[in-house]
Amino acid sequence: MFSRTVYCGAKAATAHVARYQLRCFSQFPLSVPINLPNGLEYEQPTGLFINNKFVPSQQHKTFEVINPSTEEEICHVHEGREDDVDIAVDAADKAFTNGSWSTIEPAERGQALYRLADYIEKDADIFASIETLDNGKAISNSKIDVQLVINYLRYCAGAAGKFDGRLIDTGKTHFSYTRKEPLGVCGQIIPWNFPLLMWSWKIGPALAAGNTVVLKTAESTPLSALYACKYVARAGFPPGVVNIVSGFGKIVGEALSVHPKVKKIAFTGSTATGIHIYQNAASTLKKVTLELGGKSPNIVFADADMAATVQNIIMGIYFNAGEVCSAGSRVYVEESAYDSLVDQFVKASESLKVGDPFDETTFQGAQTSQNQLSKILGYVDIGKKEGATLLSGGERVGDKGFFVRPTIFGDVKESMRIVKEEIFGPVVTVTKFKTLDEVVDLANDSQYGLAAGIHTTNINNAIKVSDRLKAGTVWINTYNDFHHAVPFGGFNASGIGREMGQEAFDSYSQVKAVRAKLQ
């Protein structure tokens, strides 16, 4: 998908004519005008962002960004390599050691984050449109994302002055206390499913704590984070505090994870890649947080409000076209309510509008890439071959764009791959259970442990089950219901550490103990 062709204005330079390429490299724009399908226009930055400036990549390479809804090229952006990572890390390290950010009044850091949130809020329609253009998600989903970004940056701004240590009473002979200090340069690697939201989840707590960052965007969705950087300097962040190197995981991600000047790695993505990054980071004993995959159970008891529960299941599995790590992809329904619930769920799923993501009435937009669409349809075939019953969906929509119908499988066995493996798309399995103990065992029978849902009007059962589930987040009578003050992260193969809440700030600071002997 990602070409190495380099653009010179509107013209492409061929790979064979080196002299012509060199002329074009110097002319490759650091921004391009974009006309959005909803009539909005804006200027899209395409360079790397280092020291508060958009700059070309050192090796003058670019890659194309595809619109998942049309399969057409949006633009090319500069592709970072190892030398670009070195430059960005050096800029971040200098900004940290010179104290222009790490040692200023915490309130000043908070004010810069508040201003950044204000700029995003003023430009919210453009940001939402970029997410929809670049990622393929429905514009209604993108607007939710942008508001979550604004809320979280403001939450981080308010926390900037609250990195307090404590006074420790160790007797009259010594004065003992702790202080929380920033780590230094933080390398951050974000996924393609929530480009702007994950950008905020990463930079917000890191900057509030006084760190500097070098962030790698996902190669398929780099546009919104680059656009956000046009406001970094205006918001009051000194040069080098926020840096973005667009590029590929095997190059930029690898370089960040082993770089000796990077003190912390934060990664959101697949479990397999997270394990690799964790191993790399061990070579320099970096602090690491990993928000990884999931195969989350969504449990329905017979006493639940079924109409509300169906909508919660829909939000759990089809929100963001199912490209959600916490997606409720395993639905367990109490036996006496199974037939009724499945009937309502199938009808509701088939009424959802799939298509043009810029249409305000669309619920589910496109999958983000051809690879993801192929993976989803491949799992549909696997489910059929394994003997599951396809109750609804399971097919591509249209012949252009990466669209797929919401898909429901019944008559599944727990050993089936569609039950065990993360599909990362709008595909759900539905299973009966008889007892509370049985459903807890079924829910916990997974290598993952990111999230879970419980639907019941019996609060006692809700608490009993939530206490026994091996999941970092349990939603009761709701699903995919995030709040900036509530930590999010997983157990087991779903990761290490937490995003959001006070716990995220703890991951971006270290404790220093001071003990002075009194005379």
Side-chain angles (χ1 to χ4, degrees):
M1 178 197 286
F2 300 103
S3 164
R4 293 296 190 275
T5 304
V6 177
Y7 274 73
C8 182
K11 244 174 152 180
T14 65
H16 327 305
V17 190
R19 193 173 297 173
Y20 183 58
Q21 275 190 316
L22 289 174
R23 287 200 301 270
C24 278
F25 287 150
S26 63
Q27 298 174 36
F28 180 74
L30 294 174
S31 68
V32 294
I34 299 287
N35 296 315
L36 293 159
N38 56 5
L40 298 176
E41 299 177 5
Y42 79 103
E43 191 75 15
Q44 173 64 53
T46 58
L48 312 180
F49 187 73
I50 301 174
N51 268 328
N52 278 5
K53 294 180 180 178
F54 290 102
V55 298
S57 59
Q58 291 295 299
Q59 297 186 33
H60 302 292
K61 293 182 180 293
T62 69
F63 61 90
E64 65 180 346
V65 182
I66 297 294
N67 180 340
S69 303
T70 64
E71 303 182 48
E72 296 172 354
E73 180 186 299
I74 300 170
C75 65
H76 274 228
V77 300
H78 287 261
E79 180 197 336
R81 292 293 184 100
E82 293 91 344
D83 45 2
D84 299 296
V85 172
D86 288 339
I87 292 169
V89 170
D90 285 344
D93 185 56
K94 181 179 178 181
F96 183 76
T97 55
N98 70 20
S100 62
W101 182 252
S102 60
T103 63
I104 64 173
E105 286 283 340
E108 292 183 47
R109 294 200 295 265
Q111 286 301 317
L113 285 163
Y114 276 126
R115 286 191 290 268
L116 183 59
D118 289 345
Y119 279 123
I120 292 173
E121 186 171 52
K122 290 176 183 176
D123 223 354
D125 287 342
I126 292 291
F127 276 105
S129 299
I130 294 172
E131 291 293 83
T132 292
L133 178 74
D134 197 14
N135 170 274
K137 66 178 66 189
I139 190 70
S140 57
N141 290 182
S142 295
K143 289 178 179 180
I144 292 171
D145 289 0
V146 173
Q147 189 57 57
L148 289 171
V149 168
I150 295 164
N151 293 346
Y152 188 54
L153 290 178
R154 287 174 175 159
Y155 175 74
C156 292
K162 297 177 182 177
F163 287 80
D164 299 326
R166 61 191 178 97
L167 180 64
I168 305 170
D169 185 354
T170 58
K172 63 182 180 181
T173 60
H174 291 76
F175 177 55
S176 303
Y177 65 94
T178 64
R179 53 179 280 130
K180 288 188 177 180
E181 297 183 353
L183 300 169
V185 180
C186 297
Q188 304 180 317
I189 303 169
I190 62 174
W192 42 259
N193 56 334
F194 290 95
L196 189 65
L197 185 59
M198 295 301 101
W199 170 82
S200 72
W201 281 17
K202 294 293 185 285
I203 71 159
L207 299 180
N211 300 285
T212 58
V213 303
V214 179
L215 182 143
K216 187 195 92 67
T217 57
E219 49 265 36
S220 57
T221 55
L223 301 185
S224 58
L226 289 173
Y227 186 71
C229 284
K230 67 179 281 190
Y231 293 123
V232 166
R234 295 187 210 177
F237 296 91
V241 172
V242 178
N243 307 276
I244 289 187
V245 181
S246 304
F248 294 83
K250 290 184 178 179
I251 299 172
V252 176
E254 194 85 1
L256 282 173
S257 65
V258 300
H259 202 291
K261 289 184 179 179
V262 173
K263 304 303 180 184
K264 158 76 187 283
I265 284 286
F267 169 76
T268 298
S270 73
T271 296
T273 303
I275 291 170
H276 178 72
I277 288 171
Y278 199 28
Q279 292 169 335
N280 279 351
S283 65
T284 49
L285 293 178
K286 292 174 172 52
K287 197 168 188 175
V288 177
T289 52
L290 305 169
E291 198 265 280
L292 307 177
K295 191 70 177 177
S296 299
N298 207 356
I299 300 167
V300 182
F301 286 95
D303 62 1
D305 178 335
M306 290 302 166
T309 296
V310 166
Q311 294 306 309
N312 289 332
I313 294 172
I314 284 172
M315 283 299 293
I317 186 59
Y318 302 142
F319 177 70
N320 207 59
E323 295 174 342
V324 185
C325 51
S326 58
S329 53
R330 293 184 291 143
V331 173
Y332 295 100
V333 186
E334 193 168 4
E335 190 173 50
S336 62
Y338 180 88
D339 290 340
S340 174
L341 184 283
V342 167
D343 182 61
Q344 293 178 59
F345 181 34
V346 168
K347 288 178 181 177
S349 297
E350 292 177 347
S351 72
L352 298 175
K353 184 173 181 179
V354 180
D356 177 9
F358 279 93
D359 184 337
E360 294 280 355
T361 64
T362 293
F363 180 84
Q364 184 181 303
Q367 309 306 135
T368 301
S369 68
Q370 177 64 61
N371 285 345
Q372 196 59 27
L373 175 65
S374 297
K375 177 184 176 183
I376 293 164
L377 294 176
Y379 270 105
V380 172
D381 289 339
I382 289 168
K384 291 176 181 177
K385 290 175 182 176
E386 288 182 320
T389 300
L390 182 63
L391 300 176
S392 183
E395 59 188 7
R396 185 172 184 172
V397 178
D399 55 6
K400 192 174 186 181
F402 310 132
F403 299 95
V404 63
R405 294 198 187 284
T407 301
I408 306 170
F409 276 105
D411 300 316
V412 298
K413 295 185 173 82
E414 293 301 297
S415 59
M416 290 179 174
R417 290 180 63 188
I418 58 171
V419 178
K420 290 295 184 187
E421 299 175 14
E422 184 178 38
I423 299 173
F424 219 67
V427 180
V428 63
T429 61
V430 188
T431 306
K432 298 176 185 178
F433 73 89
K434 292 182 179 180
T435 68
L436 187 151
D437 288 339
E438 179 191 9
V439 77
V440 169
D441 289 342
L442 290 168
N444 287 336
D445 185 18
S446 173
Q447 65 170 318
Y448 299 107
L450 188 54
I454 302 169
H455 305 274
T456 179
T457 54
N458 185 329
I459 190 62
N460 292 322
N461 280 345
I463 299 303
K464 286 178 185 177
V465 174
S466 65
D467 286 349
R468 294 173 61 185
L469 292 176
K470 297 174 183 176
T473 296
V474 179
W475 286 294
I476 298 174
N477 294 325
T478 186
Y479 206 96
N480 277 334
D481 194 345
F482 297 95
H483 189 278
H484 46 266
V486 179
F488 178 74
F491 291 5
N492 304 325
S494 289
I496 299 169
R498 294 294 181 266
E499 307 279 358
M500 301 191 293
Q502 180 59 48
E503 289 76 5
F505 301 122
D506 294 340
S507 297
Y508 285 98
S509 60
Q510 55 194 344
V511 176
K512 176 182 286 181
V514 181
R515 181 164 163 82
K517 188 173 183 179
L518 302 177
Q519 301 299 322

